[in-house]
Amino acid sequence: MRTEFTAQIKKLQLWTAETAVLVAVSTGADSMALLDLLAHLPANLRPKINVVHVNHQLRAASTNEAIFLTDYCAAHGWPLYQTKWPLTAHPAHGTEAAARQFRYDYFAQVLRQQQIPLLLTAHHADDQLETLLMRLARGGDVQQLAAIATERSFHQAKLVRPLLPFTRQQLRAYVTQRQLTYFDDVTNQDTQFTRNQIRQQIVPVLKQIQPLAAEHAANYAAQLQRLLRVNQQQMDQVLIENGQFMATGYRGELGKWQSLSSDLQHLALDQLMTRLMVTQGIEVSQAQKGEIRQLLQGPRAQAGLDLAAGWQLTKSYHYFTIAPAPAPIVAATVDLMPGATCQVEQWQITLQPVSVTGGTDVDSIEVWLAANELPLQIRHRQPGDRLPLRHGHQKIKRILSDKKISQQQRERLWLITTQQNTVLWLLGVKKSQLFNPQQTDKIHYRITIKK
């Protein structure tokens, strides 16, 4: 097996004799085989071995295993980093997932503190088969059927599984031939855990039907991973051609998106959700993706959909955005007295008598105002708001619709009104056209806006 393992390491080309690696060792047969295989690589391929071990304190034998590994590493001159999972941190339910989280958090800590670039684990072809079956039964994205990748990023380092081409049987034969000491984890026989149930009850049946089931699963997973890598590159290009990634989120051109074939829409949306949300640990169900596709293809000019973890899809006329939902609007009214200036978001608003000279770099409107119309109010729009024009009024809602301003933007627009709620200015959109000649009971004012 050493020859095949050496060929696998040459193929991966992930380290040299100068590279430090951190090997996760449980003292089971698989991880002990990995340690021995690494130690017997040719000198030009043999990395600098560091070992990491977590005593989960779930079994009485854990203490003896930790003592054995301490002596074993000392005998070989390998640095050993180990810790215990505190009993007080053990949850009442979900022990397996919690133990894995603690274990990998500790691995990340050691990698960071020791500045080691590679973490090696002893996952093998049978693990791949079990994972594939679990994910097939659970359902979800096709990416999940790629199961365990040979290598992937892990915090600031890389996680590598060099034993994936090899089966559990091959590794057991190797440790037996080498007469290596290892410890069997008795909890691996507990069929209350889904993986153990698959391992003990389903995989043996599959191997009776096809003895090479594990090898075939590893081969299928490798093929699927290659297809997915190519697909991701191509779908990234589709997304760039049909929209743009923002600092947080994505803005797409609706017409271009709708012109894509149904298959392209499915694949591009999968990649978009992966980039925006799944990589952040946010799950997006197939049902929710179906809702997104239906909304984007539907006839409504404006629509919205709440997604997981505070994300939101907003469709507005020619565009759609997928981004974290904006903070809720706090209803507020700002009073503006003559001679005063106030700041409302990006707007600097001033009210002065016309006799006071204004700057040349500001936008303005002139009005005649009576004392009872002051102070002016700066507020968000309300139902029924109308903008005075020279011949009548125009509903604010109609103005926003004509200008195709999205619902999200509408909710954040500011208006300047009198105390009688006469709208003088819809900021950033349109001014009133008051036929307001000089009047003896009113004062001539200029409202100026500067961004």
Side-chain angles (χ1 to χ4, degrees):
M1 184 174 171
R2 285 184 186 172
T3 302
E4 292 86 349
F5 182 73
T6 299
Q8 168 72 350
I9 300 308
K10 287 181 178 178
K11 177 183 176 182
L12 293 177
Q13 295 183 331
L14 291 173
W15 66 73
T16 67
E18 301 301 315
T19 307
V21 299
L22 184 66
V23 187
V25 177
S26 65
T27 70
D30 309 329
S31 57
M32 294 305 296
L34 176 58
L35 260 185
D36 194 72
L37 287 164
L38 290 168
H40 290 88
L41 282 170
N44 65 323
L45 291 176
R46 192 182 314 140
K48 295 180 179 178
I49 296 173
N50 297 261
V51 178
V52 63
H53 173 75
V54 175
N55 178 356
H56 296 97
Q57 301 196 89
L58 292 171
R59 298 174 289 110
S62 296
T63 300
N64 291 334
E65 293 169 10
I67 293 171
F68 160 76
L69 189 59
T70 300
D71 294 339
Y72 190 83
C73 290
H76 288 82
W78 297 328
L80 171 63
Y81 307 93
Q82 56 181 331
T83 190
K84 291 181 180 180
W85 189 25
L87 293 172
T88 54
H90 291 195
H93 305 285
T95 302
E96 191 175 23
R100 185 185 187 283
Q101 185 65 52
F102 179 85
R103 182 166 67 247
Y104 277 84
D105 285 347
Y106 182 64
F107 295 166
Q109 175 186 326
V110 174
L111 289 167
R112 182 176 63 255
Q113 291 176 345
Q114 302 304 318
Q115 297 185 332
I116 298 174
L118 297 174
L119 170 67
L120 274 56
T121 64
H123 292 93
H124 47 71
D126 284 81
D127 291 322
Q128 187 76 284
L129 175 59
E130 293 160 9
T131 302
L132 181 65
L133 292 171
M134 287 174 65
R135 294 182 178 177
L136 187 63
R138 186 175 60 193
D141 292 335
V142 69
Q143 288 95 328
Q144 295 175 333
L145 289 179
I148 305 172
T150 302
E151 56 179 285
R152 68 171 177 85
S153 59
F154 180 73
H155 295 266
Q156 302 303 312
K158 184 172 283 188
L159 171 59
V160 183
R161 287 101 167 200
L163 294 181
L164 275 185
F166 307 100
T167 65
R168 181 179 285 114
Q169 184 178 0
Q170 287 175 294
L171 296 172
R172 288 297 174 109
Y174 179 80
V175 295
T176 300
Q177 176 196 352
R178 293 281 299 146
Q179 297 183 334
L180 299 175
T181 300
Y182 65 90
F183 296 81
D184 276 323
D185 184 349
V186 294
T187 62
N188 286 337
Q189 306 302 316
D190 186 353
T191 54
Q192 293 183 66
F193 297 115
T194 302
R195 181 177 289 274
N196 290 344
Q197 191 174 16
I198 289 173
R199 180 179 299 164
Q200 303 299 330
Q201 299 175 0
I202 298 176
V203 170
V205 176
L206 284 177
K207 287 190 173 182
Q208 285 180 358
I209 299 170
Q210 173 49 263
L212 297 178
E215 290 93 328
H216 290 172
N219 186 37
Y220 279 128
Q223 291 181 59
L224 184 54
Q225 287 160 14
R226 284 193 291 272
L227 288 170
L228 288 172
R229 284 193 294 270
V230 173
N231 173 72
Q232 287 166 2
Q233 294 170 1
Q234 293 180 342
M235 290 308 103
D236 278 343
Q237 187 60 38
V238 169
L239 292 169
I240 291 169
E241 290 172 354
N242 292 276
Q244 61 182 16
F245 286 95
M246 305 181 293
T248 305
Y250 178 80
R251 184 172 190 260
E253 296 186 42
L254 198 55
K256 289 184 177 180
W257 183 271
Q258 292 175 340
S259 69
L260 296 174
S261 69
S262 176
D263 287 341
L264 269 179
Q265 288 182 17
H266 276 74
L267 293 173
L269 183 61
D270 285 344
Q271 175 63 2
L272 183 58
M273 293 295 96
T274 297
R275 283 192 56 165
L276 296 184
M277 299 173 67
V278 175
T279 53
Q280 296 187 38
I282 304 170
E283 290 191 16
V284 184
S285 68
Q286 289 297 322
Q288 184 118 91
K289 289 180 184 178
E291 291 179 288
I292 294 172
R293 288 191 298 270
Q294 186 175 6
L295 187 148
L296 293 179
Q297 285 297 114
R300 294 173 61 187
Q302 293 201 89
L305 181 66
D306 291 330
L307 307 176
W311 281 68
Q312 188 177 70
L313 165 67
T314 304
K315 176 184 178 183
S316 181
Y317 300 106
H318 303 304
Y319 298 94
F320 69 92
T321 59
I322 298 176
I329 296 172
V330 178
T333 299
V334 179
D335 289 340
L336 180 61
M337 295 293 294
T341 298
C342 66
Q343 186 79 35
V344 179
E345 293 185 4
Q346 76 270 35
W347 309 101
Q348 188 180 77
I349 307 169
T350 302
L351 178 64
Q352 294 281 10
V354 168
S355 58
V356 178
T357 303
T360 58
D361 60 341
V362 294
D363 196 6
S364 66
I365 183 175
E366 295 185 9
V367 292
W368 291 82
L369 299 171
N372 67 348
E373 294 179 289
L374 297 168
L376 296 183
Q377 292 188 327
I378 305 166
R379 61 170 174 80
H380 292 295
R381 69 188 186 95
Q382 297 172 355
D385 278 335
R386 294 168 175 263
L387 189 72
L389 302 175
R390 291 194 180 277
H391 303 288
H393 296 78
Q394 187 176 18
K395 289 183 178 180
I396 298 293
K397 183 178 180 181
R398 177 62 181 272
I399 295 171
L400 300 178
S401 180
D402 289 345
K403 291 184 175 292
K404 292 184 168 46
I405 294 175
S406 72
Q407 189 64 42
Q408 196 175 64
Q409 290 175 289
R410 296 181 189 190
E411 294 172 356
R412 296 180 126 64
L413 290 174
W414 290 93
L415 290 76
I416 302 177
T417 74
T418 67
Q419 284 292 316
Q420 289 72 35
N421 278 325
T422 300
V423 178
L424 304 177
W425 202 335
L426 178 56
L427 298 187
V429 181
K430 194 170 184 177
K431 304 173 188 177
S432 67
Q433 298 173 3
L434 291 171
F435 183 67
N436 199 352
Q438 180 177 352
Q439 300 175 45
T440 56
D441 60 338
K442 296 186 178 183
I443 297 175
H444 196 189
Y445 289 101
R446 180 185 293 114
I447 306 170
T448 60
I449 303 285
K450 184 177 182 180
K451 276 193 176 184

